[in-house]
Amino acid sequence: MRDAVVIGAGLAGLTAALRLARAGRSVTLVTKGPGGCQLSQGTVDILGYTPDRVTRPLEAVAAVDQSHPYSGIGADRVAESVSWLRDELGPELLVGDPAGNFHLPTAVGALRPTALAQPGMVAGDAVGGRTYAVVGVRQLKDFPADLVAGNLARSKAPDGGSLGATVAWVDLPARRGEADPTSLTYARAMDDEAFAAKFARAVAAVAGEGDVVALPAVLGVRRLGVWRQVRDVLGREVCEIPLPPPSVPGLRLYEALLGMVRAAGVRFIQGNRIVGFTPGDGGIESVTLAAAGGARHLKAASFIFAPGGFESGALDVDSHGRISEPVFGLPLTADDAAPLIPSVFWGPHELFEVGVRTDDAGRPVDGSGAAVHDNLFVAGGIIAGAERWREKSGDGVAVATAYRAADQITGGAR
């Protein structure tokens, strides 16, 4: 029997598994797929909007409503958890201070607040007077350099100052004869030092005036530090701008975290779904894995459930609009989707705040506030109370709640 089974390999599941393993616990990590990191920006958003844009995220965390996932954790513990993850990954993958947000360009030229970012991104932090030389790749359709530059030039930095931008293009296929390459195609090509040098020279030949050369986030997947190679050729700072999935920065984080989890001794099972559980004395005895050769029962002293939310299928809405959590049958904050769907697309979407309520230990609770299972903890998108995509809080919630759950199991909670 293992000390813990963690369900889900997104940011929450990987954080929980790594934290447990670092404390010397035996851990099995089970996931039906590779998690959602490669759908992310490859950064750690703590809190970006309240709905006003946030510059000091920990101050905003301290002021959240009591229904928010952060309210039972507190700003100090949020800062501790994301700082722990940053330090585990190291400065080649994450830099920044959880007390302050960067404001980084997006793939449409908007500004996105985030607390921790990859080192090849942060030179793009929007401050008054900064100018960007935006360079696109003709073969890469997901980076509209003209749109990015135009919107940046019309934007104001958070300090109120103006920004400037120019645009240029390079024509450089990543692979001969490929008609529709993705960002991942280019990133894999950049893992070859010779191709990265060729790309850098092509950019240097066309990049206009600007303090920072803004490029699509394709500067390598496994070979970290390609951005430095390009910067040194250009003689100017560069900033990578994340693109729609597959997200190269998100994949860097996923591969790094998964590698660390495996190196720490975590048993990793991918491609099988958890479909049920066996109750024990006051808690859960085992979870049921739907494997090809038949159901398997994974026993553990404790369980962390970090499956995501609606986007991953962890919360289900049937044809009658009934909302449910299908694995453990956990109580949810709402069970009818119909009144939660607004008529205005851009309005608040209460549906996405639906989820599981927890006690201060991170255990799911029923309507009376009692823990449903003594040894079951939840983390990440399954927890109610935050419209994570609108707030830009999903990464911080994932890390902080996973960290809390792991420390409850190991006795590291304060």
Side-chain angles (χ1 to χ4, degrees):
M1 184 175 77
R2 310 288 279 180
D3 292 325
V5 168
V6 177
I7 302 165
L11 187 58
L14 291 167
T15 297
L18 184 61
R19 181 76 175 167
L20 288 166
R22 289 285 189 256
R25 299 305 192 268
S26 60
V27 184
T28 295
L29 176 62
V30 184
T31 178
K32 65 181 181 181
C37 288
Q38 59 268 47
L39 304 178
S40 76
Q41 302 286 299
T43 59
V44 176
D45 304 342
I46 293 178
L47 194 56
Y49 295 94
T50 62
D52 295 329
R53 187 160 57 192
V54 171
T55 300
R56 311 295 294 176
L58 295 180
E59 294 176 11
V61 167
V64 297
D65 184 86
Q66 64 179 2
S67 64
H68 197 283
Y70 282 145
S71 66
I73 298 175
D76 289 346
R77 193 71 163 159
V78 170
E80 180 183 325
S81 64
V82 298
S83 296
W84 176 84
L85 182 67
R86 176 199 62 199
D87 295 344
E88 283 284 342
L89 285 165
E92 285 296 305
L93 277 166
L94 279 182
V95 296
D97 182 347
N101 276 334
F102 298 111
H103 293 83
L104 304 178
T106 72
V108 294
L111 297 176
R112 179 177 63 89
T114 191
L116 306 181
Q118 297 190 18
M121 299 177 181
V122 297
D125 188 27
V127 296
R130 178 156 289 169
T131 57
Y132 302 84
V134 182
V135 179
V137 179
R138 289 293 182 193
Q139 290 78 11
L140 191 59
K141 68 180 181 181
D142 287 333
F143 188 70
D146 298 280
L147 178 65
V148 173
N151 283 338
L152 283 174
R154 287 188 286 270
S155 297
K156 294 286 187 182
D159 61 12
S162 297
L163 304 173
T166 62
V167 64
W169 293 87
V170 297
D171 189 337
L172 183 64
R175 290 194 295 216
R176 183 178 298 175
E178 185 163 0
D180 193 16
T182 68
S183 57
L184 187 54
T185 304
Y186 272 90
R188 286 172 174 159
M190 297 283 182
D191 284 336
D192 175 13
E193 187 173 349
F195 183 85
K198 182 178 180 180
F199 176 80
R201 291 192 298 269
V203 171
V206 301
E209 296 295 325
D211 304 317
V212 179
V213 179
L215 300 167
V218 297
L219 301 184
V221 181
R222 293 186 171 89
R223 190 168 71 91
L224 302 179
V226 175
W227 66 274
R228 289 193 187 90
Q229 179 186 356
V230 175
R231 178 197 63 186
D232 292 347
V233 171
L234 296 176
R236 279 184 280 174
E237 293 292 341
V238 301
C239 71
E240 288 191 284
I241 298 179
L243 306 184
S247 165
V248 171
L251 191 57
R252 290 177 196 144
L253 286 188
Y254 174 74
E255 292 195 349
L257 276 171
L258 182 58
M260 292 165 67
V261 162
R262 283 174 156 161
V266 173
R267 182 186 181 197
F268 180 63
I269 303 174
Q270 179 175 311
N272 299 102
R273 187 187 298 267
I274 297 296
V275 294
F277 70 100
T278 301
D281 184 16
I284 291 173
E285 180 180 292
S286 67
V287 291
T288 306
L289 183 71
R296 294 173 55 194
H297 301 282
L298 304 179
K299 292 187 176 183
S302 300
F303 300 83
I304 297 179
F305 190 41
F310 287 103
E311 70 285 351
S312 63
L315 295 176
D316 181 60
V317 181
D318 67 17
S319 59
H320 300 285
R322 309 308 295 178
I323 311 170
S324 64
E325 185 282 298
V327 175
F328 297 102
L330 297 176
L332 302 176
T333 52
D335 58 11
D336 184 4
L340 304 178
I341 300 174
S343 58
V344 179
F345 178 80
W346 293 111
H349 287 253
E350 294 178 80
L351 177 64
F352 295 113
E353 294 188 18
V354 173
V356 176
R357 288 275 182 232
T358 73
D359 60 15
D360 286 346
R363 297 176 300 181
V365 297
D366 60 22
S368 68
V372 178
H373 301 289
D374 290 341
N375 63 342
L376 176 65
F377 302 84
V378 292
I382 194 76
I383 299 177
E387 198 174 351
R388 298 178 304 281
W389 65 272
R390 179 180 291 274
E391 297 177 350
K392 299 293 183 280
S393 65
D395 305 319
V397 168
V399 174
T401 56
Y403 188 92
R404 173 180 64 180
D407 281 6
Q408 287 293 328
I409 291 171
T410 63
R414 293 197 304 270

